[in-house]
Amino acid sequence: MSWMRGITCQVRHWRAERARWKADMAEFKAAQKEARRRGEWPENPGPPPTGFTLLPWLLMGMGSFSNLLQGKTSNPWIGGLGLFAFNSLYIYVVFRSFVKEKRQAVSTVVALIVMGLITCGLALGYGGSWLYFFPLLGLATGAVVRGPRLGQVGLALTALAAAVSVYRSGWDAINIAYGTFLSTMVTAAILSLSEAVRELRSAREELARRAVEKERMRFSRDLHDLLGHTLSVIVVKSEAARRLAPRDMEAALGQITDIEAVGRQALTEIREAVTGYREGSLATELDRARSALSAADIDPVVRQSGPLLTPQNEALLGWVVREAVTNVVRHSGATRCEITFDGVMDRVRLTIADDGPGDSLRDGNSPATGPAEGIGGTGLKGLTERLAVAGGSLRAGPSPRGGFTVTAELPVESADLTPSVVTTAGSTAGSTAPREP
């Protein structure tokens, strides 16, 4: 029969809840013991409350059960049936009250109303110890009704308990109304506070997890940008030194000296990146870009005019120069690279364009699609995320006139303009490698 299957499923659910509650309690006690052993205050508020925490209050109905056994109750079958129905509904309601979706369900509200009708019937019919079902009803009501309607429902239930108690047993039973009000409000307050504490603790753990994830992402981006650019420069200059050594030892030694300087600077930057205090300089990155491009036989052309930048924006644009020039050196096969920095009163634009053939589908673009925002390999994706956080954007893709173009835009606060600077350096030696995907 369907009702038998329903009862069996409910019993299985209660057994599973009890097993989970016992496991949570065992874990909580072990955590407390470990914290006391270390001399610390345990932060874990314990396992989440379940319906088992409210079951002991059913002992308040032992007086009514005793009257049934002793034959002091008229119509004992009606009283026994009412006692069984109330206890069953109480267990059903309190177990559903600890799951938000279930306690707000219509079936839970209907069960609570039926409990109220049974309580009124038993209290009016028998009085005495049967009046203590009102505080039990208050416990169930406080567990289910939490929020702005709690005050109205609690006062209405208290008034009902007072009216029935006075009618059945006189003013001596007015304490039933006080017990009903207290059990309703205290239960709702304790359970709401416990739920809020657990939500706050969960939010704190989530914020801590996101902070760790954000820091890990920052470090991975910094490490990629630092090592990708530095190692590319070292490889290019090493190849240049190898080619120059047979015919021009002095020029080869100059390249080796540059390699040493780049390596020392990279060590310093990596140490600073680990501590999170490194701030890039756009002028420094432009100087490095000229050196790297020249070593790769690529003519660097730098045009700079625009508003003065904050240190944060300088650092971001410095990363763009570093990543884009690294890609030009490694992938483009270009003979010329133009770096243009300009802007208006509220926005600056940095463009790095090369004239190399490269790959027709490099960085996920084709000549037909043109530049796309937020594409490329790990470096370009990381830069896209950084610029987006600062309110900027990054576009990278094949240029309509050939070559590859990276364009970064950032909002600025300063409106002071710097004079235009044009720098062109010749090439000395070069080599290329496949472009980063």
Side-chain angles (χ1 to χ4, degrees):
M1 299 176 65
S2 60
W3 64 273
M4 285 294 294
R5 286 196 298 270
I7 293 176
T8 303
C9 291
Q10 190 65 40
V11 170
R12 290 176 180 173
H13 173 70
W14 288 343
R15 287 179 178 176
E17 286 288 329
R18 183 171 180 272
R20 184 173 62 85
W21 178 70
K22 290 178 68 176
D24 290 341
M25 283 298 297
E27 182 180 353
F28 170 61
K29 290 178 180 178
Q32 278 192 322
K33 184 177 179 181
E34 180 65 19
R36 286 194 298 267
R37 187 183 65 82
R38 296 180 179 180
E40 301 174 352
W41 184 261
E43 294 186 2
N44 192 340
T50 64
F52 290 102
T53 58
L54 297 180
L55 289 186
W57 292 102
L58 284 175
L59 295 175
M60 294 177 65
M62 287 299 296
S64 303
F65 185 69
S66 176
N67 289 340
L68 284 175
L69 292 180
Q70 295 176 8
K72 297 180 180 179
T73 302
S74 58
N75 299 319
W77 288 105
I78 296 178
L81 184 60
L83 182 63
F84 175 77
F86 180 89
N87 290 342
S88 300
L89 289 173
Y90 178 87
I91 294 173
Y92 175 79
V93 168
V94 297
F95 270 96
R96 293 176 65 87
S97 64
F98 290 94
V99 180
K100 185 175 181 180
E101 292 76 14
K102 291 184 178 180
R103 72 167 175 261
Q104 293 177 349
V106 177
S107 57
T108 305
V109 177
V110 171
L112 196 60
I113 294 174
V114 174
M115 280 182 63
L117 296 176
I118 293 175
T119 301
C120 290
L122 294 176
L124 288 172
Y126 298 111
S129 59
W130 295 84
L131 295 174
Y132 288 105
F133 285 111
F134 275 110
L136 277 174
L137 178 61
L139 282 169
T141 303
V144 172
V145 183
R146 309 179 203 173
R149 294 186 302 169
L150 176 63
Q152 299 175 356
V153 175
L155 290 175
L157 181 59
T158 301
L160 177 62
V164 173
S165 300
V166 170
Y167 173 79
R168 192 64 179 79
S169 301
W171 288 100
D172 293 337
I174 195 65
N175 60 327
I176 297 296
Y178 174 73
T180 302
F181 178 79
L182 199 63
S183 63
T184 303
M185 296 303 177
V186 170
T187 301
I190 291 177
L191 294 182
S192 298
L193 181 61
S194 174
E195 187 174 295
V197 168
R198 295 179 188 284
E199 289 178 353
L200 289 174
R201 185 169 180 265
S202 177
R204 184 182 65 178
E205 292 176 351
E206 178 65 18
L207 289 175
R209 185 189 65 79
R210 290 186 179 183
V212 172
E213 183 179 350
K214 182 178 180 181
E215 182 63 16
R216 185 183 295 115
M217 186 67 68
R218 179 199 69 83
F219 183 72
S220 67
R221 287 196 299 255
D222 285 2
L223 199 60
H224 171 273
D225 294 341
L226 283 170
L227 294 182
H229 171 78
T230 303
L231 294 179
S232 296
V233 172
I234 290 175
V235 169
V236 170
K237 288 186 173 291
S238 298
E239 292 177 349
R242 177 176 55 81
R243 288 193 300 269
L244 290 171
R247 61 178 186 272
D248 192 345
M249 183 58 67
E250 185 177 351
L253 289 176
Q255 295 292 338
I256 294 173
T257 302
D258 290 344
I259 293 172
E260 181 183 3
V262 170
R264 292 183 183 277
Q265 183 64 28
L267 287 175
T268 301
E269 290 180 344
I270 289 175
R271 293 191 188 100
E272 292 174 347
V274 170
T275 56
Y277 293 115
R278 185 176 55 80
E279 292 185 358
S281 168
L282 182 58
T284 302
E285 293 300 336
L286 290 175
D287 290 339
R288 293 175 181 172
R290 293 187 188 99
S291 176
L293 291 170
S294 298
D297 266 345
I298 302 174
D299 290 334
V301 178
V302 180
R303 299 185 179 93
Q304 184 176 0
S305 65
L308 296 176
L309 300 176
T310 61
Q312 293 80 5
N313 285 353
E314 273 209 42
L316 286 173
L317 294 181
W319 282 118
V320 176
V321 172
R322 176 187 290 260
E323 177 66 23
V325 170
T326 300
N327 286 343
V328 171
V329 171
R330 293 174 59 190
H331 309 302
S332 67
T335 58
R336 179 183 175 90
C337 178
E338 296 185 3
I339 303 175
T340 305
F341 172 74
D342 57 14
V344 293
M345 301 297 292
D346 61 345
R347 204 162 185 86
V348 293
R349 180 186 297 108
L350 175 67
T351 303
I352 298 96
D354 63 69
D355 62 353
D359 299 326
S360 61
L361 297 175
R362 58 186 177 181
D363 285 335
N365 292 289
S366 65
T369 59
E373 185 169 340
I375 48 85
T378 304
L380 292 180
K381 289 179 181 177
L383 289 173
T384 302
E385 295 171 1
R386 295 184 184 205
L387 292 171
V389 171
S393 62
L394 179 72
R395 297 187 301 276
S399 174
R401 296 178 298 176
F404 198 82
T405 302
V406 176
T407 303
E409 292 187 359
L410 273 177
V412 294
E413 299 176 359
S414 175
D416 297 330
L417 296 181
T418 60
S420 175
V421 177
V422 181
T423 304
T424 304
S427 60
T428 58
S431 84
T432 58
R435 179 174 282 267
E436 177 187 16

